[in-house]
Structures are given as structure tokens and as C-alpha cells.
Amino acid sequence: MNLREQIEAQAGKAKEAASVLANTPTDLKNNALLAMAGRIESETAFLIAENKSDLSAGQEKGLAAPLLDRLTLNEKRIGDMAAGLREVAALPDPVGEILKMNRLPNGLQVGKMRVPIGVIGIVYESRPNVTADTAALCIKSGNSVVLRGGSEAIFSNRAIARLLRASCESVGLPPDGV
């Protein structure tokens, strides 16, 4: 399978997951986010080990110190990722929120309601925490997400995404939502 076919296959799976996520109750989305936070914390050693591969490769490539710092995962940063997932879980569910209602001169009532978009594609630099942050916001808003992080963080991003996908699956949501 070539790269184009791989991307199309992943996007197709994300689209299928999006139709499920768009109709997922708030409590189930929140359970997924809380499961993600717990799994991220319980797999801290795994994430740090995967991150060391990225850091070693980055040092060999001669990446600047500030980029290596943004790339680094440690216990505090992993704890912050988990805390961020919990913070998103605590937010009100935006899906179905009515923002504005107007009555037209003919008596028809028209309003604006927040609804999921579907599949969100995100391309981001080499900051592994963005993987969890973006996935959390997309799940909470009833969307699936296709993530493309910087190549310098490939091991960390894959590890985080694997944990997030497993967390979705553990609560009954499609793993292809991430």
C-alpha cells in the first residue's frame, strides 16, 4: 500500500468514527478523556522511553536546544498532559449548544447551534503534548482527528496516540477517532 492509499484508508476510518463521535453522549466522551488521562499517567515510563528515541535522533541531527526542550517529555510534562485531558473533560459539552435564536418577520424562528464538523486534520510541530491536547478537544466536540506531528517526535507521538486510541476503545468509542 502506497502512502496515498494509507492516508485515504486512515481518513476513511476517521470518517466512520466521526459519525459515531458526533452522536456520543457527553458522559461517554468524558469517560474516554478521563481514561486517556489515567492511561497517560500509568504509562509514564513507556512514554519517557519512547521520547528518548526522539531525543537521541534529534541530538544526532543537531537540533537546537530550544527544539530539544520542546520535544522532551518528563514526569511533569506527562502529568500536565493528563491534567489537560481532565480539564477538557470538565468543560461543558459544546455539542448542541444554542448560541442565538431570532424570530423572523414571518414568524419563523431561526437559531445557531454548535454541531460537530466531522474529521479534523491537524499538522503540528514537534511538541508531543499537542497530540493529547488536540485529540482531547476533538473528542469533546464530537469530532475525529487525523494527527500529523513533526518527524522529530515520531516515537513520542505514536506512543501517545496508541494510548489515546486504546483509551477510546476501552470505553466503547472507536479508536479511529484518534
Side-chain angles (χ1 to χ4, degrees):
M1 187 181 300
N2 66 34
L3 183 59
R4 180 185 176 132
E5 292 169 337
Q6 288 176 346
I7 292 169
E8 288 175 352
Q10 185 59 48
K13 291 176 185 177
K15 186 176 180 180
E16 289 175 20
S19 65
V20 173
L21 291 170
N23 297 299
T24 298
T26 302
D27 62 336
L28 187 53
K29 292 187 286 188
N30 290 341
N31 288 343
L33 294 169
L34 295 173
M36 290 174 182
R39 195 171 296 238
I40 290 281
E41 285 177 329
S42 70
E43 296 289 344
T44 296
F46 166 67
L47 292 175
I48 290 173
E50 292 296 301
N51 182 248
K52 284 184 181 179
S53 298
D54 290 327
L55 293 172
S56 294
Q59 288 168 344
E60 287 176 19
K61 290 180 185 176
L63 295 181
L67 182 56
L68 287 171
D69 180 58
R70 286 193 302 271
L71 183 60
T72 301
L73 288 179
N74 54 37
E75 287 185 15
K76 180 186 179 332
R77 288 185 177 168
I78 292 169
D80 289 346
M81 267 195 293
L85 288 159
R86 288 186 179 98
E87 287 173 12
V88 173
L91 294 172
D93 192 338
V95 177
E97 181 183 354
I98 297 175
L99 303 173
K100 186 177 181 182
M101 293 295 286
N102 291 323
R103 189 165 302 278
L104 300 178
N106 66 0
L108 183 66
Q109 193 170 12
V110 179
K112 292 182 182 180
M113 179 188 292
R114 290 186 175 175
V115 296
I117 295 171
V119 179
I120 309 291
I122 303 291
V123 178
Y124 54 101
E125 64 176 15
S126 301
R127 296 182 60 192
N129 59 304
V130 174
T131 303
D133 295 345
T134 304
L137 293 171
C138 288
I139 295 294
K140 183 70 173 203
S141 61
N143 296 292
S144 64
V145 63
V146 177
L147 300 164
R148 173 58 174 102
S151 61
E152 294 84 7
I154 189 71
F155 294 102
S156 303
N157 289 336
R158 284 184 177 165
I160 294 166
R162 189 175 321 133
L163 298 177
L164 300 178
R165 290 170 53 84
S167 298
C168 284
E169 194 166 39
S170 75
V171 299
L173 289 181
D176 291 320
V178 178

